[in-house]
Amino acid sequence: MKDISTKLVNAGKDEALQVIDTINPPLHRASTVLFDSYADMLKANKGEYEGIDYGTCGLGAQKAFEAAMVELEGAYGCKSFQSGIAAIAMVLMAYTKQSDHILICDNVYGPTRHFCDGFLAKYGVETEYLPSDAGAGVVDYIRENTKLLFMESPGSNTFEIQDISAITEVCRTKSVVTVIDNTWATPLYFNPFEHGIDVSIQSCTKYITGHSDILLGTVSTNEQSWDTFNKCCGLFEVYAAQEDCYQGLRGLRTLKVRLKAHEQAALEVAKWLANHEMVESVIHPALESHPQHDLWERYFKGSSGLFAFTLKEQYEDIDHSPFVDNLELFGLGYSWGGYKSLITGGKFRRTNHFGYEGKTLFRLNIGLEDVEDLKVDLKQGLEQLKG
Ligand SMILES: *Cc1c(COP(=O)(O)O)cnc(C)c1O
């Protein structure tokens, strides 16, 4: 008979080890992963063990989610991170070193820019910003020490599109690693690897998890770029939590139907806004009025639920609070891709070739509410601005 203290440590274990065949992967809670034999441990000591030897390698739900992303995107490998920006930061660190030069499209997500200017600069990596509608002309920006080119297409605030294949063609001949933040389109509406991109990033916080309750990011790469990235991740040992990866995987199961619903509703609201007497322009890549609509059609299989609009001149330099604060269905908050409609607004300050520089831009995340209800809400909100 074992002592009670030994029982406390070991009781219940055999039952827990029984394999229960569920549809979804189990959630492991583990730092330590037990080896079958001493021989396996000796292999792990030398870095030659094939299996998972510690919790930081990623356990069931992480592996399942990453494998799903690899399959979806046609990638070689995928790693998950605790947020989209953590994924972006890891990519920017993995492929650069002191004295390198990198190119970033000017329309990138703000925090991506802050990471380059606030962190990479400290380590002697020079960032140069490309026009947001960049194409084959990037050849003129590439220097001897240019290592990476980062795209975001369409940009998640201003929706400029890069001529992706023209860029990857140039970069391939110059050994510049190409990266895209593919959050807007998701792997469903744009496949980076089919267009010669080396590294694809998703903020799964948006459509993939889809419920505004998870922060999660992924990085997928092609075969050629995998080793460099994987090794860097191994040094940092940063990765996403089990529960969040589980939710990421769960989100994938319904992504197609959710995205279709977001797409259709957003198109309806965008077209309605385009005809509204107070609206100057609607910035939505799938509308013919978008300055790069042709490029969008060439690359994308669909559009998502995020777009922006500006108001006519007489409503530009006024207090917009009566509009925004009186919306009933649109939450006022950052992020997007979730089931609830959201609005953000503010002056647009970066360089832009579409004439929106210095204008107030309202960005809408169209959720899964009824479209007519959303229109009624926007209509009454806009009415509040009429003096
Ligand atoms: C939100 C967002 C990110 C960052 O994702 P988090 O998970 O919120 O860190 C990156 N890129 C784009 C385009 C985004 O919209």
Side-chain angles (χ1 to χ4, degrees):
M1 269 303 268
K2 303 261 186 335
D3 183 76
I4 185 80
S5 48
T6 305
K7 283 187 184 166
L8 279 171
V9 171
N10 292 289
K13 198 157 176 226
D14 285 347
E15 268 164 63
L17 283 179
Q18 271 180 15
V19 177
I20 301 167
D21 192 14
T22 53
I23 293 174
N24 296 299
L27 289 175
H28 296 101
R29 296 209 153 270
S31 47
T32 299
V33 177
L34 298 173
F35 292 103
D36 275 345
S37 67
Y38 184 51
D40 281 349
M41 177 174 265
L42 292 178
K43 267 195 218 160
N45 292 348
K46 287 191 276 181
E48 290 167 5
Y49 183 65
E50 297 274 315
I52 292 169
D53 62 16
Y54 196 61
T56 51
C57 299
L59 303 168
Q62 281 126 342
K63 294 294 180 202
F65 177 53
E66 290 164 0
M69 289 299 287
V70 162
E71 197 173 329
L72 263 177
E73 296 187 286
Y76 180 78
C78 172
K79 285 266 182 201
S80 48
F81 297 89
Q82 67 274 44
S83 69
I85 195 64
I88 290 168
M90 190 57 65
V91 167
L92 291 167
M93 289 190 287
Y95 297 104
T96 58
K97 61 174 185 340
Q98 191 173 30
S99 308
D100 284 348
H101 168 250
I102 63 170
L103 295 166
I104 308 269
C105 288
D106 201 30
N107 62 347
V108 285
Y109 178 63
T112 303
R113 200 182 184 92
H114 301 156
F115 186 80
C116 294
D117 299 342
F119 186 87
L120 291 184
K122 226 169 54 163
Y123 290 90
V125 177
E126 185 191 348
T127 303
E128 186 177 355
Y129 292 94
L130 290 168
S132 305
D133 57 352
V138 297
V139 70
D140 297 333
Y141 291 83
I142 295 175
R143 306 179 194 164
E144 198 83 328
N145 61 339
T146 307
K147 291 294 157 56
L148 177 146
L149 188 149
F150 194 108
M151 295 169 256
E152 186 177 309
S153 203
S156 60
N157 283 299
T158 44
F159 308 94
E160 298 95 337
I161 299 168
Q162 289 102 49
D163 191 348
I164 298 158
S165 295
I167 292 176
T168 56
E169 230 166 84
V170 169
C171 288
R172 202 169 315 119
T173 64
K174 305 269 184 190
S175 299
V176 173
V177 173
T178 48
V179 181
I180 195 164
D181 181 334
N182 193 32
T183 304
W184 185 85
T186 84
L188 258 64
Y189 289 162
F190 178 72
N191 186 314
F193 300 109
E194 281 172 11
H195 297 277
I197 286 171
D198 299 309
V199 180
S200 164
I201 300 171
Q202 269 295 315
S203 165
C204 307
T205 305
K206 312 294 160 56
Y207 289 114
I208 290 183
T209 56
H211 289 69
S212 310
D213 55 356
I214 303 278
L215 285 158
L216 184 65
T218 55
V219 175
S220 304
T221 87
N222 59 15
E223 186 170 2
Q224 193 191 333
S225 307
W226 179 248
D227 261 0
T228 304
F229 187 68
N230 195 30
K231 280 193 183 121
C232 185
C233 293
L235 298 175
F236 277 88
E237 291 194 344
V238 288
Y239 59 95
Q242 285 286 299
E243 287 79 1
D244 297 347
C245 289
Y246 181 95
Q247 293 294 353
L249 192 63
R250 193 184 209 253
L252 288 179
R253 308 309 181 201
T254 57
L255 180 60
K256 189 177 158 192
V257 279
R258 285 188 289 113
L259 204 57
K260 200 81 213 161
H262 286 294
E263 173 177 24
Q264 278 165 358
L267 278 170
E268 270 190 58
V269 176
K271 284 175 188 162
W272 175 80
L273 272 173
N275 289 317
H276 193 284
E277 43 151 351
M278 295 165 73
V279 171
E280 173 137 303
S281 47
V282 173
I283 314 165
H284 188 312
L287 294 192
E288 277 180 19
S289 58
H290 188 279
Q292 295 176 296
H293 179 66
D294 287 355
L295 214 51
W296 175 79
E297 275 199 315
R298 191 187 316 159
Y299 288 113
F300 296 87
K301 299 184 192 102
S303 57
S304 57
L306 191 78
F307 67 93
F309 67 95
T310 61
L311 293 175
K312 288 199 172 137
E313 196 59 42
Q314 67 263 44
Y315 305 107
E316 177 63 38
D317 289 315
I318 57 169
D319 175 14
H320 297 108
S321 304
F323 162 50
V324 178
D325 290 342
N326 277 295
L327 291 172
E328 190 194 332
L329 301 178
F330 287 81
L332 179 59
Y334 298 124
S335 206
W336 47 283
Y339 60 87
K340 180 169 173 60
S341 288
L342 298 171
I343 185 167
T344 58
K347 284 262 185 223
F348 178 67
R349 299 204 186 279
R350 274 185 229 137
T351 58
N352 179 278
H353 313 284
F354 305 159
Y356 305 129
E357 208 166 331
K359 287 226 168 209
T360 301
L361 213 77
F362 293 104
R363 188 187 74 173
L364 300 180
N365 169 60
I366 300 297
L368 301 175
E369 303 90 341
D370 178 69
V371 178
E372 292 309 315
D373 288 342
L374 293 178
K375 288 184 200 166
V376 167
D377 196 27
L378 287 168
K379 187 170 172 353
Q380 67 78 23
L382 286 168
E383 286 295 318
Q384 314 286 331
L385 293 180
K386 289 185 174 169

